[in-house]
Structures are given as structure tokens and as C-alpha cells.
């Protein structure tokens, strides 16, 4: 089985192709341009580098969110379009799951954080046990101070990963002290290889979707929807 995976949920764009035995290719670009400009040339180059065509791919996978609204729409639309063109199945993977998977076999807990603005982060809590990644706290959006209070109750070492570390590193370090470790730069951003490996496990279990079914998982309303709600007095719990 060959899987082509992409992640455009954050500032970086990344594409990978994996088969059952190994990672064949992975490209990551975290510099300027927009995802709409980056991702298709990366996919084309990845396929060409492996001597493959889209029809050689068995499953197409994507980080479906949370993350940038525009980035998620681009990623999901790209994967659905590719899968539809060659009539293949798709798999959506949580962006937070994939970030946590960047740090295999960590001691303590892994806490991916993505900047959700207005002092909020997309986050969850994960732990490696017996070689498997387990979800301790389901993905959600929290104010940073709320996340800190939750983590203060945990006895383990805390490993943070994701672009939220760039915005909140000082606050987290000050509040949580020497319990905190931050992921190295090479693991602190989206990796399509992690998306691909998680998608491979799902596909083996038959947990695939039709390209008509896969949609982004925003975890919150779009800016336009929030502004509409505010104008009409409809502000709810999911708004920033």
C-alpha cells in the first residue's frame, strides 16, 4: 500500500509518500509563498522523484485540522481532488495527533499547541505507552492560562510541540518551570511523514473515507462567522 500525505494546516507545507516498509520521500517548505502555490508542485515533484503517478497511490491522506482555515480548505480540497481523479480512498488525520507523533517514545506527556489567536491554542495531551501514542486529553481550543492550569496538575515532564511554542514559550516556561521541554526545530512543525504513518494505520484497519465525505475539522468557527455572530448577538462558546 502506498500513501501520499499532505499537511497545509499551519505555516509550513509538507508532502510525503510512504509504503508499508518505508518513507519514500518527504518535502517540507516553511518559507513564504502560499499553500495554494506550494503544495501541488511539491506533490508533483514527490511523485516524479519516486517514479510514480497519481494512480499508483492507494490512499490519499491529509491533516484535516485544527489549524489555519484557509490552509485546511486547501489541503482537504487538494486531497479530495486527487483521490476523485483516480477514484481512490482518502484518510483524514488530526493535525494535533500528527504533531504529537513527531516525537516518538517521549517520556512524560506530549502537548501539541497551535496558535488559535486571542491567547488561545488548539491543543491536546498525549502519552506514549508500550510503543503506542495514547490520547489523554481530547483535542480542543483553550486559553493559554486554562491549559497551564490543567498542566500544573500533571506530575510528568511536559514536552511541547507546534507553532504555539513560538508565541507562548516564555509564558509556558515561567508558569511550568523545569517540567517543560520544547521540541527541537526539526520536529516542531508539521511533517507529512507523521500524517502518512497515522493514515497508514487507519487504512490497514479499513478506516478510510470517500472523497465526498472528508471535510476539515476546524474546532471553531471562521472569522467571518464569528463577526456575523457578534453583530447579531449570537456569540457562543466556540467563538474566539
Amino acid at each position: 500500500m502506498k500513501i501520499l500525505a499532505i499537511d497545509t494546516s499551519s505555516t509550513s507545507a509538507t508532502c510525503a509518500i510512504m509504503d508499508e516498509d518505508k518513507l519514500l520521500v518527504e518535502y517540507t517548505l516553511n518559507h513564504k509563498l502560499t499553500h495554494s502555490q506550494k503544495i501541488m508542485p511539491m506533490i508533483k515533484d514527490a511523485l516524479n522523484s519516486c517514479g510514480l503517478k497519481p494512480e499508483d497511490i492507494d490512499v490519499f491522506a491529509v491533516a484535516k485540522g485544527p489549524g489555519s482555515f484557509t490552509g485546511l480548505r486547501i489541503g482537504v480540497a487538494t486531497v479530495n481532488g486527487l483521490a476523485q481523479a483516480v477514484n481512490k480512498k482518502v484518510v483524514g488525520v488530526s493535525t494535533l495527533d500528527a504533531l504529537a507523533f513527531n516525537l516518538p517514545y517521549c517520556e512524560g506527556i506530549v502537548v501539541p499547541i497551535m496558535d488559535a489567536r486571542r491567547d488561545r491554542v488548539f491543543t491536546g495531551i498525549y502519552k506514549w505507552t508500550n510503543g503506542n501514542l495514547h490520547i489523554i486529553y481530547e483535542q480542543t481550543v483553550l486559553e493559554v492560562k486554562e491549559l497551564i492550569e490543567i498542566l500544573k496538575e500533571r506530575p510528568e515532564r511536559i514536552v511541547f510541540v507546534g507553532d504555539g511554542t513560538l508565541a507562548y514559550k516564555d509564558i509556558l516556561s515561567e508558569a511550568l518551570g523545569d517540567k517543560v521541554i520544547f521540541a527541537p526545530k526539526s520536529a516542531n512543525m508539521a511533517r507529512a511523514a507523521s500524517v502518512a504513518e497515522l493514515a497508514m494505520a487507519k487504512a490497514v484497519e479499513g478506516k478510510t473515507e470517500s472523497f465526498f465525505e472528508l471535510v476539515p475539522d476546524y474546532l471553531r468557527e471562521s472569522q467571518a462567522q464569528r463577526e456575523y455572530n457578534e453583530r447579531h448577538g449570537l456569540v457562543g462558546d466556540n467563538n474566539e
Side-chain angles (χ1 to χ4, degrees):
M1 181 188 297
K2 290 183 176 63
I3 287 188
L4 186 152
I6 67 171
D7 190 334
T8 56
S9 61
S10 60
T11 55
S12 60
T14 175
C15 170
I17 300 174
M18 181 176 287
D19 66 18
E20 290 95 336
D21 300 317
K22 60 186 176 182
L23 175 66
L24 300 179
V25 63
E26 182 179 28
Y27 292 156
T28 300
L29 183 61
N30 192 20
H31 181 70
K32 299 181 179 180
L33 298 179
T34 64
H35 292 323
S36 59
Q37 294 172 300
K38 296 175 185 177
I39 197 63
M40 284 307 298
M42 291 175 70
I43 292 170
K44 182 178 179 180
D45 286 347
L47 288 167
N48 288 342
S49 295
C50 297
L52 298 172
K53 298 177 181 178
E55 52 265 33
D56 297 320
I57 302 299
D58 299 293
V59 176
F60 292 87
V62 64
K64 65 177 182 178
S68 156
F69 293 114
T70 300
L72 293 177
R73 287 193 291 268
I74 290 170
V76 170
T78 298
V79 158
N80 283 341
L82 288 167
Q84 184 173 12
V86 292
N87 195 29
K88 298 294 177 70
K89 292 291 187 177
V90 298
V91 172
V93 171
S94 161
T95 310
L96 296 172
D97 290 2
L99 279 171
F101 200 79
N102 285 359
L103 301 171
Y105 316 128
C106 275
E107 294 184 2
I109 54 176
V110 181
V111 182
I113 53 173
M114 301 178 68
D115 190 5
R117 302 186 180 181
R118 298 190 182 184
D119 294 325
R120 290 190 174 193
V121 290
F122 299 118
T123 190
I125 300 176
Y126 298 76
K127 188 164 188 170
W128 288 93
T129 306
N130 298 323
N132 295 306
L133 185 63
H134 298 279
I135 300 173
I136 304 297
Y137 194 102
E138 291 287 346
Q139 65 177 24
T140 187
V141 58
L142 293 173
E143 291 186 6
V144 175
K145 62 183 180 181
E146 292 178 290
L147 176 61
I148 287 171
E149 291 306 310
I150 291 169
L151 294 175
K152 281 182 177 179
E153 302 299 318
R154 304 288 310 190
E156 307 99 328
R157 181 63 63 88
I158 303 162
V159 186
F160 286 106
V161 60
D163 64 10
T165 62
L166 304 178
Y168 302 111
K169 184 174 183 177
D170 292 342
I171 296 171
L172 295 168
S173 295
E174 182 177 352
L176 298 168
D178 58 9
K179 290 172 60 175
V180 171
I181 299 175
F182 294 95
K185 296 178 181 67
S186 59
N188 201 44
M189 57 185 176
R191 288 199 60 191
S194 293
V195 177
E197 192 154 354
L198 289 171
M200 180 75 73
K202 284 189 171 187
V204 168
E205 295 176 1
K207 297 178 180 178
T208 59
E209 299 179 72
S210 161
F211 43 79
F212 290 119
E213 299 170 329
L214 180 63
V215 295
D217 182 6
Y218 296 119
L219 267 189
R220 60 174 184 170
E221 295 167 335
S222 69
Q223 179 69 25
Q225 185 64 52
R226 291 196 301 275
E227 291 175 354
Y228 176 88
N229 288 347
E230 289 170 3
R231 288 197 303 270
H232 293 82
L234 301 174
V235 177
D237 292 339
N238 292 328
N239 289 300
E240 289 187 356

